[in-house]
Amino acid sequence: MNELDPRLHAAVARLRELPAERDTARAALRACIAAEAMETGRRSATRSRGVVLAPARAFLIAAALVLATSALWLSVPGLRGLRAGPPGPATARTPVQPVQFVLVARDARAVAVVGDFNDWNPDATLLAPGPGGVWSVVVPLAPGRFAYSYVVNGDEWRADPVAPRETDDYGRPSSVLFVSSTEM
Amino acid sequence: MTFHLPSRVSITVEASDDDLVERAVSGSVTAFESLVDRYYRRCLRFAVRQLGSREDAEEAVQDAFVRAYRSLGNGGRPQRFRPWLMAIVVNRCRTYRAKNRTRRALIQRLSIGAAVRRAAPPERIDGDDLSPALAHALSRLSPGLREAFLLKHVEELTYEAMANATGIRISALKMRVKRAGERLARELESAE
């Protein structure tokens, strides 16, 4: 099916040629794999040292931690930006973490967050308005590093004022988020 | 009857993908690096042709391998490694392209100055290892057509594997491959 047009044989042969690899790129990849392997080893070691709790007791401790964490967020009105949200349902095979994006923007009519996790699509993840111009949304994210930014009123790009920044490809500042694989 | 055996016998048996995957799942970094050695340039080939930028392609491929390693570390066992890896690469390329496109659009809307606009060039296909005519013809395809054509005729995936990688129905993929071929042939003929 879809036999190749004979006029394209030469072009496809050229396209099939493998590009040369650059030492710097392979070295960077090796370093990333090594770092990931170390992180995986640390996670395994942490798990192996974990304390075994009876399910009922584990539930009580988890519930207490959720309440304490939520209370902390609510009691610190100056906190803005990104914080890890309360733990979601235990899903060992999909270790996503709920991450809360918060921006105080009293002048905003609409706020979206764009980043590596949603293909930088300003229509994908809208923040909900709250009292005092506090906009927020919770996004489940897998562990890793993400670059992101806020888009206010559809066209104003704002870096998160309380997160580490990086300069993007086109000279605009965006923010960096690290989602850990912390398990409760 | 006497057999004279050579003093040294060297037999090299290349490990299968399945063997390497199994060892990688068990935590062998060396096994995973063997998979990287085996498939890095093929993944790079697709990414460079699809994204049109060597730097973006290297970043997308690196990201894809790290995600693959992480997934194997979490116990994921793909039925067949190469199509599974290509699916990750395809999706990372889509993400990188979308990221760049959205950033370009935002910057244009923001009108933030000529210097920055100069730093955000329009999409083009890197012609480092292609003739200018072929690079140009490839750049004239829409990303969807280009993706389908490359997966079929350059990466030589089956339509089933392509459907798994792209999330697009086989019938639609066949149509895209056909249209991409026609368009590419026209572009190349007009360039002659």
Side-chain angles (χ1 to χ4, degrees):
Chain A
M1 192 64 187
N2 273 146
E3 290 297 318
L4 184 60
D5 187 326
R7 293 174 295 171
L8 293 173
H9 283 167
V12 165
R14 196 83 178 92
L15 290 169
R16 283 181 185 165
E17 289 176 8
L18 292 169
E21 62 182 49
R22 295 197 293 200
D23 290 344
T24 50
R26 282 302 300 272
L29 174 54
R30 269 193 294 275
C32 286
I33 299 296
E36 189 67 25
M38 286 179 61
E39 177 63 25
T40 305
R42 274 199 294 273
R43 285 200 296 269
S44 301
T46 304
R47 277 197 291 273
S48 67
R49 289 196 301 270
V51 178
V52 177
L53 297 173
R57 189 170 183 187
F59 174 79
L60 287 173
I61 291 174
L65 283 172
V66 169
L67 287 173
T69 313
S70 302
L72 174 66
W73 293 335
L74 294 172
S75 65
V76 186
L79 283 178
R80 294 183 298 179
L82 190 66
R83 300 167 200 99
T91 52
R93 303 289 294 176
T94 55
V96 295
Q97 306 278 343
V99 174
Q100 187 177 32
F101 292 86
V102 180
L103 181 72
V104 177
R106 293 184 178 83
D107 54 333
R109 298 184 307 278
V111 178
V113 60
V114 294
D116 296 330
F117 45 84
N118 66 5
D119 291 352
W120 298 86
N121 179 354
D123 301 321
T125 311
L126 302 178
L127 280 70
V134 178
W135 297 74
S136 67
V137 67
V138 175
V139 180
L141 294 178
R145 177 188 185 280
F146 301 92
Y148 71 100
S149 188
Y150 293 109
V151 180
V152 178
N153 297 336
D155 59 5
E156 182 188 345
W157 200 355
R158 291 186 193 176
D160 192 319
V162 296
R165 291 192 183 193
E166 70 171 10
T167 301
D168 72 12
D169 303 343
Y170 307 116
R172 292 286 297 180
S174 54
S175 306
V176 182
L177 144 72
F178 294 90
V179 179
S180 75
S181 55
T182 306
E183 293 169 325
M184 294 296 293
Chain B
M1 187 179 288
T2 305
F3 291 98
H4 296 282
L5 294 173
S7 57
R8 286 184 188 174
V9 177
S10 176
I11 300 174
T12 303
V13 178
E14 195 172 65
S16 69
D17 284 1
D18 288 347
D19 291 340
L20 292 172
V21 165
E22 197 59 39
R23 286 164 51 198
V25 169
S26 302
S28 169
V29 176
T30 307
F32 189 78
E33 284 177 345
S34 296
L35 290 166
V36 174
D37 288 341
R38 194 171 286 180
Y39 291 115
Y40 180 83
R41 290 176 70 195
R42 293 193 215 182
C43 293
L44 187 63
R45 173 176 63 189
F46 172 80
V48 168
R49 311 287 189 240
Q50 178 64 16
L51 292 174
S53 153
R54 160 68 76 143
E55 285 71 27
D56 285 350
E58 286 175 344
E59 204 172 327
V61 170
Q62 173 181 303
D63 198 7
F65 273 110
V66 170
R67 283 165 186 264
Y69 180 80
R70 191 178 296 152
S71 177
L72 294 178
N74 289 332
R77 280 182 174 77
Q79 281 192 328
R80 292 179 61 225
F81 180 74
R82 190 187 170 222
W84 176 76
L85 177 65
M86 280 306 298
I88 299 175
V89 173
V90 166
N91 283 299
R92 294 325 297 162
C93 287
R94 287 181 173 190
T95 298
Y96 273 83
R97 193 183 166 281
K99 177 179 77 172
N100 289 341
R101 186 187 60 228
T102 304
R103 288 185 177 187
R104 274 199 299 270
L106 281 170
I107 287 165
Q108 282 169 358
R109 274 196 283 175
L110 292 170
S111 301
I112 57 177
V116 174
R117 280 199 295 275
R118 275 199 302 274
E123 184 175 59
R124 65 181 182 83
I125 297 300
D126 194 329
D128 282 354
D129 63 336
L130 299 177
S131 67
L134 180 52
H136 178 73
L138 201 58
S139 74
R140 298 280 293 167
L141 298 180
S142 71
L145 293 186
R146 190 162 62 234
E147 178 186 80
F149 185 84
L150 292 173
L151 290 175
K152 181 60 189 168
H153 289 306
V154 178
E155 302 309 323
E156 300 177 274
L157 294 190
T158 65
Y159 277 109
E160 287 75 16
M162 288 169 64
N164 287 335
T166 61
I168 298 167
R169 290 192 312 276
I170 289 176
S171 56
L173 285 169
K174 287 179 176 175
M175 186 58 68
R176 287 187 185 190
V177 170
K178 182 172 180 293
R179 284 171 50 205
E182 291 168 353
R183 179 82 189 263
L184 201 56
R186 269 203 315 274
E187 292 289 342
L188 288 171
E189 281 180 346
S190 68
E192 285 175 355

